[in-house]
Amino acid sequence: MNLLDKCTTNEIKLLENIGINIEDKEYTNEELRRYENKIEDFIMSHSTKNDDISKLSNQFSGILNTLVKGK
């Protein structure tokens, strides 16, 4: 799957903000799985006290759905 074709500009910016640089290429299932894990680790590293995890989950939900469907 080519993530540049599947993700919106905003989603690509979110990925870049957490250190995932998207290239114009076909990603393997293993690469998609690694990105999914990196996003989940990023979300879970935040505080539950001020609802950060919930907010980040909402921001990244579209990207995670795309990654899951692409595998």
Side-chain angles (χ1 to χ4, degrees):
M1 171 193 330
N2 188 327
L3 290 176
L4 275 181
D5 294 339
K6 299 290 182 180
C7 293
T8 66
T9 304
N10 187 45
E11 290 172 335
I12 292 169
K13 286 180 185 176
L14 286 172
L15 291 172
E16 288 173 349
N17 288 340
I18 64 168
I20 298 174
N21 295 313
I22 302 300
E23 300 174 17
D24 189 9
K25 71 172 203 167
E26 291 296 318
Y27 286 90
T28 65
N29 286 345
E30 181 61 32
E31 289 172 310
L32 296 176
R33 206 170 294 116
R34 276 196 310 255
Y35 288 163
E36 181 182 353
N37 288 336
K38 187 167 184 172
I39 293 167
E40 290 169 351
D41 288 345
F42 174 78
I43 292 170
M44 296 310 293
S45 71
H46 285 77
S47 173
T48 56
K49 288 183 180 178
N50 57 5
D51 209 28
D52 281 347
I53 290 176
S54 179
K55 291 173 188 173
L56 290 169
S57 293
N58 287 334
Q59 285 181 333
F60 284 94
S61 66
I63 300 168
L64 287 170
N65 287 335
T66 300
L67 292 174
V68 169
K69 289 178 187 175
K71 292 190 289 185

Coordinates of all heavy atoms in Angstrom, one line a residue:
M1 N 0.8 -1.2 0.0 CA 0.0 0.0 0.0 C 0.9 1.2 0.0 O 1.9 1.3 0.7 CB -0.9 0.0 1.2 CG -1.6 1.3 1.4 SD -2.4 1.7 3.0 CE -2.9 0.2 3.6
N2 N 0.5 2.2 -0.8 CA 1.2 3.5 -0.8 C 0.5 4.5 0.1 O -0.6 4.9 -0.1 CB 1.2 4.1 -2.2 CG 2.1 5.3 -2.3 OD1 2.2 6.1 -1.4 ND2 2.7 5.4 -3.5
L3 N 1.1 4.8 1.3 CA 0.5 5.6 2.3 C 0.2 7.1 1.8 O -0.7 7.7 2.3 CB 1.3 5.6 3.6 CG 1.3 4.3 4.3 CD1 2.2 4.4 5.5 CD2 -0.1 3.9 4.8
L4 N 1.1 7.5 0.9 CA 0.8 8.9 0.4 C -0.5 9.0 -0.4 O -1.2 10.0 -0.4 CB 1.9 9.3 -0.6 CG 3.2 9.9 0.0 CD1 4.2 10.3 -1.0 CD2 2.9 11.1 0.9
D5 N -0.9 7.9 -1.0 CA -2.2 7.9 -1.7 C -3.4 7.7 -0.7 O -4.5 8.1 -1.0 CB -2.2 6.7 -2.7 CG -1.3 6.9 -3.8 OD1 -0.9 8.1 -4.1 OD2 -0.9 5.9 -4.5
K6 N -3.1 7.1 0.4 CA -4.2 6.7 1.4 C -4.4 7.8 2.5 O -5.5 7.8 3.0 CB -3.9 5.4 2.0 CG -3.9 4.2 1.0 CD -5.2 3.9 0.4 CE -5.1 2.7 -0.6 NZ -6.4 2.4 -1.2
C7 N -3.4 8.5 2.8 CA -3.5 9.4 4.0 C -3.7 10.9 3.5 O -3.3 11.3 2.4 CB -2.2 9.4 4.8 SG -1.9 7.8 5.6
T8 N -4.4 11.6 4.3 CA -4.7 13.0 4.0 C -3.4 13.8 4.4 O -2.5 13.3 5.1 CB -5.8 13.6 4.9 OG1 -5.5 13.5 6.3 CG2 -7.1 12.8 4.6
T9 N -3.4 15.1 4.0 CA -2.2 15.9 4.3 C -2.1 16.1 5.8 O -1.0 16.0 6.3 CB -2.4 17.3 3.6 OG1 -2.6 17.1 2.2 CG2 -1.2 18.2 3.9
N10 N -3.2 16.2 6.5 CA -3.2 16.4 8.0 C -2.6 15.1 8.6 O -1.8 15.2 9.5 CB -4.6 16.7 8.5 CG -4.6 17.0 10.0 OD1 -3.7 17.7 10.4 ND2 -5.5 16.4 10.7
E11 N -3.0 13.9 8.1 CA -2.5 12.7 8.7 C -1.0 12.5 8.4 O -0.3 12.0 9.3 CB -3.3 11.5 8.1 CG -4.8 11.4 8.5 CD -5.6 10.4 7.8 OE1 -5.2 10.0 6.6 OE2 -6.6 9.9 8.3
I12 N -0.6 12.9 7.3 CA 0.9 12.8 7.0 C 1.6 13.7 7.9 O 2.7 13.4 8.4 CB 1.1 13.2 5.5 CG1 0.6 12.1 4.6 CG2 2.6 13.4 5.3 CD1 0.5 12.4 3.1
K13 N 1.1 14.9 8.2 CA 1.8 15.8 9.2 C 1.8 15.2 10.6 O 2.8 15.4 11.3 CB 1.0 17.2 9.2 CG 1.3 18.0 8.0 CD 0.6 19.3 8.0 CE 0.8 20.1 6.7 NZ 0.0 21.4 6.7
L14 N 0.7 14.6 11.0 CA 0.7 13.9 12.3 C 1.8 12.8 12.4 O 2.5 12.7 13.4 CB -0.7 13.3 12.6 CG -1.8 14.2 12.9 CD1 -3.1 13.4 12.9 CD2 -1.6 14.8 14.3
L15 N 1.9 12.1 11.3 CA 2.9 11.0 11.3 C 4.3 11.6 11.3 O 5.2 11.1 12.1 CB 2.8 10.2 10.0 CG 1.5 9.3 10.0 CD1 1.4 8.6 8.6 CD2 1.6 8.2 11.1
E16 N 4.6 12.7 10.6 CA 5.9 13.3 10.6 C 6.2 13.9 12.0 O 7.3 13.8 12.4 CB 5.9 14.5 9.6 CG 5.9 13.9 8.2 CD 5.8 15.0 7.1 OE1 5.5 16.2 7.4 OE2 6.0 14.7 5.9
N17 N 5.2 14.4 12.7 CA 5.4 14.9 14.1 C 5.9 13.9 15.1 O 6.5 14.2 16.1 CB 4.1 15.6 14.6 CG 3.8 16.9 13.9 OD1 4.7 17.5 13.3 ND2 2.6 17.3 13.9
I18 N 5.6 12.6 14.8 CA 6.0 11.5 15.7 C 7.2 10.8 15.1 O 7.6 9.7 15.6 CB 4.9 10.6 16.1 CG1 4.3 9.8 14.9 CG2 3.8 11.4 16.8 CD1 3.4 8.7 15.3
G19 N 7.8 11.3 14.0 CA 9.0 10.7 13.5 C 8.8 9.7 12.4 O 9.7 8.9 12.1
I20 N 7.6 9.6 11.8 CA 7.4 8.7 10.7 C 7.3 9.5 9.4 O 6.4 10.3 9.2 CB 6.1 7.9 10.9 CG1 6.1 7.0 12.1 CG2 5.8 7.1 9.6 CD1 4.8 6.3 12.5
N21 N 8.3 9.4 8.6 CA 8.3 10.1 7.3 C 7.8 9.2 6.2 O 8.4 8.1 5.9 CB 9.8 10.6 7.0 CG 10.2 11.6 8.0 OD1 9.5 12.5 8.3 ND2 11.4 11.4 8.5
I22 N 6.7 9.6 5.6 CA 6.1 8.8 4.5 C 6.7 9.1 3.2 O 6.9 10.3 2.8 CB 4.6 9.2 4.5 CG1 3.9 8.9 5.8 CG2 3.9 8.4 3.4 CD1 4.0 7.5 6.3
E23 N 7.0 8.1 2.4 CA 7.6 8.2 1.1 C 6.6 7.7 0.1 O 5.7 7.0 0.4 CB 8.9 7.3 1.0 CG 10.0 7.7 2.0 CD 11.1 6.7 2.0 OE1 11.3 6.0 1.0 OE2 11.9 6.8 3.0
D24 N 6.9 8.1 -1.2 CA 6.0 7.6 -2.3 C 6.5 6.2 -2.7 O 7.3 6.1 -3.6 CB 6.1 8.6 -3.4 CG 5.1 8.3 -4.5 OD1 4.2 7.5 -4.3 OD2 5.2 9.0 -5.6
K25 N 6.0 5.2 -2.0 CA 6.4 3.8 -2.3 C 5.4 2.9 -1.8 O 4.5 3.3 -1.0 CB 7.8 3.5 -1.6 CG 7.7 3.4 -0.1 CD 9.1 2.9 0.4 CE 8.9 2.2 1.7 NZ 10.0 1.5 2.2
E26 N 5.5 1.6 -2.2 CA 4.6 0.6 -1.7 C 5.2 0.0 -0.4 O 6.3 -0.4 -0.3 CB 4.5 -0.5 -2.7 CG 3.7 -0.2 -3.9 CD 2.2 0.2 -3.6 OE1 1.6 -0.6 -2.8 OE2 1.7 1.2 -4.2
Y27 N 4.4 0.1 0.7 CA 4.9 -0.4 2.0 C 4.5 -1.8 2.2 O 3.4 -2.2 1.8 CB 4.3 0.5 3.1 CG 4.9 1.9 3.2 CD1 4.4 2.9 2.5 CD2 6.1 2.1 4.0 CE1 5.0 4.2 2.6 CE2 6.7 3.3 4.1 CZ 6.1 4.4 3.4 OH 6.7 5.6 3.5
T28 N 5.4 -2.6 2.8 CA 5.2 -4.0 3.1 C 4.3 -4.1 4.3 O 4.1 -3.1 5.1 CB 6.5 -4.7 3.4 OG1 7.1 -4.2 4.6 CG2 7.5 -4.6 2.2
N29 N 3.7 -5.3 4.5 CA 2.9 -5.5 5.7 C 3.7 -5.3 7.0 O 3.2 -4.8 8.0 CB 2.3 -6.9 5.7 CG 1.2 -7.0 4.7 OD1 0.6 -6.0 4.2 ND2 0.8 -8.2 4.4
E30 N 5.0 -5.7 7.0 CA 5.8 -5.5 8.1 C 6.1 -4.0 8.4 O 6.0 -3.6 9.6 CB 7.2 -6.2 7.9 CG 8.1 -6.1 9.1 CD 7.6 -6.7 10.3 OE1 6.9 -7.7 10.3 OE2 8.0 -6.2 11.4
E31 N 6.3 -3.2 7.4 CA 6.4 -1.8 7.6 C 5.2 -1.2 8.2 O 5.2 -0.3 9.1 CB 6.8 -1.1 6.3 CG 8.2 -1.4 5.8 CD 8.5 -0.9 4.4 OE1 7.7 -1.1 3.5 OE2 9.5 -0.2 4.3
L32 N 4.0 -1.6 7.7 CA 2.7 -1.0 8.2 C 2.5 -1.4 9.6 O 2.1 -0.6 10.4 CB 1.6 -1.6 7.3 CG 1.6 -1.1 5.8 CD1 0.4 -1.8 5.1 CD2 1.5 0.4 5.7
R33 N 2.9 -2.7 10.0 CA 2.8 -3.1 11.4 C 3.7 -2.3 12.3 O 3.3 -1.9 13.4 CB 3.2 -4.6 11.4 CG 2.5 -5.3 12.6 CD 2.7 -6.9 12.5 NE 2.0 -7.4 11.3 CZ 2.6 -8.0 10.3 NH1 3.9 -8.2 10.2 NH2 1.8 -8.5 9.3
R34 N 4.9 -2.0 11.8 CA 5.9 -1.2 12.6 C 5.3 0.2 12.9 O 5.4 0.7 14.0 CB 7.2 -1.1 12.0 CG 8.1 -2.3 12.2 CD 9.6 -2.0 11.9 NE 9.7 -1.5 10.6 CZ 10.2 -2.1 9.5 NH1 10.6 -3.4 9.6 NH2 10.3 -1.6 8.3
Y35 N 4.7 0.8 11.8 CA 4.2 2.1 12.0 C 3.0 2.1 12.9 O 2.8 3.0 13.7 CB 3.8 2.7 10.6 CG 4.9 3.1 9.7 CD1 4.7 3.3 8.4 CD2 6.2 3.3 10.3 CE1 5.8 3.7 7.6 CE2 7.2 3.7 9.5 CZ 7.0 3.9 8.1 OH 8.1 4.2 7.3
E36 N 2.2 1.1 12.8 CA 1.0 0.9 13.7 C 1.5 0.9 15.2 O 1.0 1.5 16.0 CB 0.2 -0.3 13.3 CG -1.0 -0.6 14.2 CD -1.7 -1.8 13.8 OE1 -1.4 -2.5 12.8 OE2 -2.7 -2.2 14.5
N37 N 2.5 0.0 15.4 CA 3.1 -0.1 16.8 C 3.7 1.2 17.3 O 3.5 1.6 18.4 CB 4.1 -1.2 16.8 CG 3.5 -2.6 16.7 OD1 2.3 -2.8 17.0 ND2 4.3 -3.5 16.3
K38 N 4.3 1.9 16.4 CA 4.9 3.2 16.8 C 3.9 4.2 17.2 O 4.0 5.0 18.1 CB 5.8 3.8 15.7 CG 6.6 5.0 16.1 CD 7.7 5.3 15.1 CE 8.5 6.5 15.6 NZ 9.7 6.8 14.8
I39 N 2.8 4.3 16.4 CA 1.7 5.2 16.7 C 1.1 4.8 18.1 O 0.8 5.7 18.9 CB 0.6 5.2 15.6 CG1 1.2 5.8 14.3 CG2 -0.6 5.9 16.0 CD1 0.3 5.5 13.1
E40 N 0.8 3.5 18.3 CA 0.2 3.1 19.5 C 1.1 3.4 20.7 O 0.6 3.8 21.8 CB -0.1 1.6 19.4 CG -1.3 1.3 18.5 CD -1.5 -0.1 18.1 OE1 -0.6 -1.0 18.5 OE2 -2.5 -0.5 17.5
D41 N 2.4 3.1 20.5 CA 3.4 3.5 21.6 C 3.4 5.0 21.9 O 3.4 5.4 23.1 CB 4.8 3.0 21.2 CG 5.0 1.5 21.3 OD1 4.1 0.8 21.9 OD2 6.0 1.1 20.7
F42 N 3.3 5.8 20.9 CA 3.3 7.2 21.1 C 2.0 7.6 21.8 O 2.1 8.4 22.8 CB 3.3 7.9 19.7 CG 3.1 9.4 19.8 CD1 4.2 10.2 20.2 CD2 1.9 10.0 19.5 CE1 4.0 11.6 20.2 CE2 1.7 11.4 19.6 CZ 2.8 12.2 20.0
I43 N 0.9 7.1 21.5 CA -0.4 7.4 22.2 C -0.3 7.0 23.6 O -0.7 7.8 24.5 CB -1.6 6.8 21.4 CG1 -1.8 7.4 20.1 CG2 -2.8 6.9 22.3 CD1 -2.8 6.7 19.2
M44 N 0.1 5.8 23.9 CA 0.1 5.2 25.2 C 1.2 5.9 26.1 O 1.1 5.8 27.3 CB 0.3 3.7 25.2 CG -0.8 3.0 24.5 SD -2.5 3.4 25.0 CE -2.5 2.8 26.7
S45 N 2.1 6.6 25.6 CA 3.1 7.2 26.4 C 2.7 8.5 27.0 O 3.4 9.2 27.7 CB 4.4 7.5 25.5 OG 4.2 8.5 24.6
H46 N 1.4 8.9 26.7 CA 0.9 10.2 27.2 C 0.0 9.9 28.4 O -0.4 8.8 28.7 CB 0.1 10.9 26.1 CG 1.0 11.5 25.1 ND1 1.7 10.8 24.1 CD2 1.4 12.8 25.0 CE1 2.4 11.6 23.4 NE2 2.3 12.8 23.9
S47 N -0.3 11.0 29.1 CA -1.0 11.0 30.3 C -2.5 10.8 30.2 O -3.1 11.2 29.2 CB -0.8 12.3 31.1 OG -1.7 12.4 32.2
T48 N -3.1 10.0 31.1 CA -4.5 9.8 31.1 C -5.2 10.9 32.0 O -6.4 11.1 31.9 CB -4.9 8.4 31.7 OG1 -4.3 8.3 33.0 CG2 -4.4 7.3 30.8
K49 N -4.4 11.6 32.8 CA -5.0 12.6 33.7 C -5.7 13.7 32.9 O -6.8 14.2 33.3 CB -4.0 13.2 34.6 CG -3.5 12.2 35.6 CD -2.5 12.9 36.5 CE -2.0 11.9 37.6 NZ -1.0 12.5 38.5
N50 N -5.1 14.2 31.9 CA -5.7 15.3 31.2 C -6.3 14.9 29.8 O -6.5 15.7 28.9 CB -4.8 16.5 31.0 CG -3.5 16.1 30.2 OD1 -3.4 14.9 29.8 ND2 -2.6 17.0 30.1
D51 N -6.6 13.6 29.7 CA -7.3 13.0 28.6 C -6.5 13.0 27.3 O -7.1 13.0 26.2 CB -8.7 13.7 28.4 CG -9.7 12.9 27.7 OD1 -9.7 11.6 27.9 OD2 -10.6 13.4 27.1
D52 N -5.2 13.1 27.4 CA -4.3 13.1 26.2 C -4.5 11.9 25.4 O -4.5 11.9 24.1 CB -2.8 13.3 26.6 CG -2.4 14.7 26.9 OD1 -3.2 15.6 26.6 OD2 -1.3 14.9 27.5
I53 N -4.6 10.7 26.0 CA -4.7 9.5 25.3 C -5.9 9.4 24.4 O -5.9 9.0 23.3 CB -4.6 8.2 26.3 CG1 -3.2 8.1 26.8 CG2 -5.0 7.0 25.5 CD1 -3.0 7.0 27.9
S54 N -7.0 9.9 25.0 CA -8.3 9.9 24.2 C -8.2 10.9 23.1 O -8.6 10.5 21.9 CB -9.4 10.3 25.2 OG -10.6 10.4 24.5
K55 N -7.6 12.0 23.3 CA -7.5 13.0 22.2 C -6.6 12.5 21.1 O -6.9 12.6 19.9 CB -6.9 14.3 22.7 CG -7.9 15.1 23.6 CD -7.2 16.3 24.3 CE -8.0 16.9 25.3 NZ -7.3 17.9 26.1
L56 N -5.4 11.9 21.5 CA -4.5 11.4 20.4 C -5.1 10.2 19.7 O -4.9 10.0 18.5 CB -3.2 11.0 21.1 CG -2.3 12.2 21.6 CD1 -1.2 11.7 22.4 CD2 -1.8 13.0 20.4
S57 N -5.9 9.3 20.4 CA -6.5 8.2 19.8 C -7.5 8.7 18.7 O -7.6 8.1 17.6 CB -7.3 7.4 20.8 OG -6.4 6.8 21.7
N58 N -8.2 9.7 19.0 CA -9.1 10.3 18.0 C -8.4 10.9 16.8 O -8.8 10.7 15.7 CB -10.0 11.4 18.6 CG -11.1 10.8 19.5 OD1 -11.5 9.7 19.4 ND2 -11.5 11.6 20.5
Q59 N -7.3 11.6 17.1 CA -6.5 12.2 16.0 C -5.9 11.1 15.1 O -5.9 11.3 13.9 CB -5.3 13.0 16.6 CG -5.7 14.3 17.1 CD -4.5 15.1 17.7 OE1 -3.5 14.5 18.0 NE2 -4.6 16.4 17.7
F60 N -5.4 10.0 15.6 CA -4.8 9.0 14.9 C -5.7 7.8 14.4 O -5.2 6.9 13.8 CB -3.6 8.4 15.7 CG -2.4 9.3 15.7 CD1 -2.2 10.2 16.8 CD2 -1.5 9.3 14.7 CE1 -1.1 11.0 16.8 CE2 -0.4 10.2 14.7 CZ -0.2 11.0 15.8
S61 N -7.0 7.9 14.8 CA -7.9 6.8 14.4 C -8.0 6.5 12.9 O -7.9 5.3 12.5 CB -9.2 7.0 15.0 OG -9.9 8.1 14.4
G62 N -8.0 7.5 12.1 CA -8.1 7.4 10.7 C -6.9 6.7 10.1 O -6.9 5.8 9.3
I63 N -5.7 7.1 10.6 CA -4.4 6.5 10.2 C -4.4 5.1 10.6 O -4.0 4.2 9.8 CB -3.2 7.3 10.7 CG1 -3.3 8.8 10.3 CG2 -1.9 6.7 10.3 CD1 -2.3 9.7 11.1
L64 N -4.7 4.8 11.8 CA -4.6 3.4 12.3 C -5.6 2.5 11.5 O -5.3 1.4 11.2 CB -5.0 3.3 13.8 CG -3.8 3.9 14.7 CD1 -4.3 4.0 16.1 CD2 -2.6 3.0 14.6
N65 N -6.8 3.0 11.2 CA -7.7 2.2 10.4 C -7.1 2.0 9.0 O -7.3 0.8 8.5 CB -9.1 3.0 10.2 CG -9.9 2.9 11.5 OD1 -9.7 2.0 12.3 ND2 -10.7 3.9 11.7
T66 N -6.5 2.9 8.4 CA -5.8 2.8 7.1 C -4.8 1.7 7.2 O -4.7 0.8 6.3 CB -5.2 4.1 6.6 OG1 -6.3 5.1 6.5 CG2 -4.5 3.9 5.3
L67 N -3.9 1.8 8.2 CA -2.9 0.8 8.4 C -3.4 -0.6 8.6 O -2.9 -1.6 8.0 CB -2.0 1.2 9.5 CG -1.1 2.4 9.4 CD1 -0.4 2.8 10.7 CD2 -0.1 2.3 8.3
V68 N -4.4 -0.8 9.3 CA -5.0 -2.1 9.6 C -5.6 -2.7 8.3 O -5.5 -3.8 8.0 CB -6.1 -2.0 10.7 CG1 -6.9 -3.3 10.8 CG2 -5.4 -1.7 12.1
K69 N -6.3 -1.8 7.6 CA -6.9 -2.3 6.3 C -5.9 -2.7 5.2 O -6.1 -3.5 4.4 CB -7.9 -1.2 5.7 CG -9.1 -1.0 6.5 CD -9.9 0.1 5.9 CE -11.1 0.5 6.8 NZ -11.9 1.6 6.3
G70 N -4.7 -2.0 5.3 CA -3.7 -2.2 4.3 C -2.9 -3.5 4.5 O -2.2 -3.9 3.6
K71 N -3.0 -4.1 5.7 CA -2.2 -5.3 5.9 C -2.9 -6.6 5.4 O -4.0 -6.7 5.2 CB -2.0 -5.5 7.4 CG -1.1 -4.5 8.0 CD -0.8 -4.8 9.4 CE -1.9 -4.7 10.4 NZ -1.6 -4.9 11.8

